[in-house]
Amino acid sequence: ISPDGRYLAAAVNRAVVRIWSLSNGQELPELQLQAEADSSTSVPSLADLQTIIPKQFLLPTPGMSTAVRFNPDGKLLAVANEYGIHVFSRDGFSLVTSLRGYKGRIACLAFDAISNRLFAAGEDRVIRMWSPQTAAPSAVVAQLSSMPTALTVHPNGKVIAASFPGGQLELWHIERRQLLATITFLPDQRGWIAATPDGLFETSEGAWRYAAWRFREKPNTLFPVELFYRNFY
């Protein structure tokens, strides 16, 4: 849904994006996406698409869109498929540019509210950044632990969060290309555990007992958190 609530954009299992006006419910002409490979694209097998789009909802089709997102001021609409990220202007929904430079399919998109930078991540587990206003190539922001399901940029434009199916978040500093913290949400409302790469951690009141130490010398052995509390204090 566009930020002003005027339009709804939907990814469907064809090489198009469907657009509706929410003021009157009328559907606008479909936006066409690239549906054939060229020399700049490397297309994975169709079976891999099941990791992006659950098969119980859609029948995967070559060229179908896998992610769609309006930018914060609603003037741009980004749509991804395996051939590129198509950026449309909301003024007539004309194509502004097509962004390339990733492997596999895109699972999620996010815009930076300050500078309109576009971030994308998918099957290659890499967060990449583009500036749709220029022809500059993409820049790698982060190498993730697995394929994310959503991306969100902090309003200050400095940090991006990637979420994963298992209830985990990774926070990355965009300019430093640095992992700031990993946050794991435990099932059944047992709380959360946050940890930094250098070993600092914090937990909610009910989750500390599920945290553990792991040391390089014994990577397959877990030690309870409270084991070292007596020495620390």
Side-chain angles (χ1 to χ4, degrees):
I1 299 176
S2 62
D4 59 8
R6 294 179 59 189
Y7 297 99
L8 169 66
V12 297
N13 59 336
R14 293 184 291 121
V16 301
V17 178
R18 297 178 66 182
I19 307 287
W20 285 267
S21 169
L22 293 179
S23 61
N24 56 20
Q26 182 177 359
E27 183 171 3
L28 280 64
E30 297 173 338
L31 306 182
Q32 300 293 323
L33 307 180
Q34 181 183 349
E36 295 182 0
D38 57 29
S39 59
S40 66
T41 58
S42 176
V43 183
S45 68
L46 187 60
D48 295 336
L49 189 56
Q50 302 291 2
T51 62
I52 305 291
I53 304 294
K55 62 182 180 181
Q56 63 265 32
F57 296 120
L58 292 172
L59 176 65
T61 304
M64 66 179 290
S65 50
T66 55
V68 57
R69 178 66 63 91
F70 282 98
N71 76 328
D73 64 13
K75 294 181 179 180
L76 296 176
L77 173 66
V79 185
N81 68 1
E82 63 263 43
Y83 303 113
I85 301 174
H86 307 70
V87 181
F88 298 90
S89 169
R90 210 188 73 176
D91 183 13
F93 288 105
S94 57
L95 183 65
V96 175
T97 186
S98 292
L99 306 174
R100 310 291 173 82
Y102 57 87
K103 297 179 181 179
R105 294 178 175 88
I106 294 298
C108 45
L109 300 168
F111 276 98
D112 171 12
I114 295 178
S115 59
N116 250 353
R117 294 174 298 181
L118 175 61
F119 299 83
E123 289 178 308
D124 61 359
R125 299 179 298 167
V126 174
I127 297 178
R128 288 182 168 84
M129 177 179 66
W130 290 263
S131 176
Q133 292 80 13
T134 69
S138 63
V140 173
V141 174
Q143 178 66 62
L144 303 174
S145 59
S146 61
M147 186 183 70
T149 56
L151 296 175
T152 300
V153 182
H154 192 280
N156 64 17
K158 297 180 179 180
V159 177
I160 188 168
S163 65
F164 304 91
Q168 189 178 70
L169 292 176
E170 289 184 10
L171 304 180
W172 288 80
H173 194 285
I174 294 172
E175 301 303 331
R176 299 178 197 160
R177 315 298 200 255
Q178 177 186 4
L179 178 64
L180 300 177
T182 300
I183 305 172
T184 300
F185 294 90
L186 303 177
D188 302 325
Q189 298 184 344
R190 287 180 287 179
W192 52 266
I193 301 172
T196 66
D198 56 359
L200 299 176
F201 72 95
E202 177 67 286
T203 77
S204 60
E205 183 176 354
W208 66 267
R209 61 178 59 88
Y210 300 100
W213 298 102
R214 186 196 305 270
F215 298 98
R216 293 188 183 93
E217 295 78 8
K218 296 183 177 180
N220 297 322
T221 303
L222 297 179
F223 299 89
V225 168
E226 66 268 22
L227 184 65
F228 303 101
Y229 270 22
R230 187 183 301 274
N231 292 338
F232 179 80
Y233 286 107

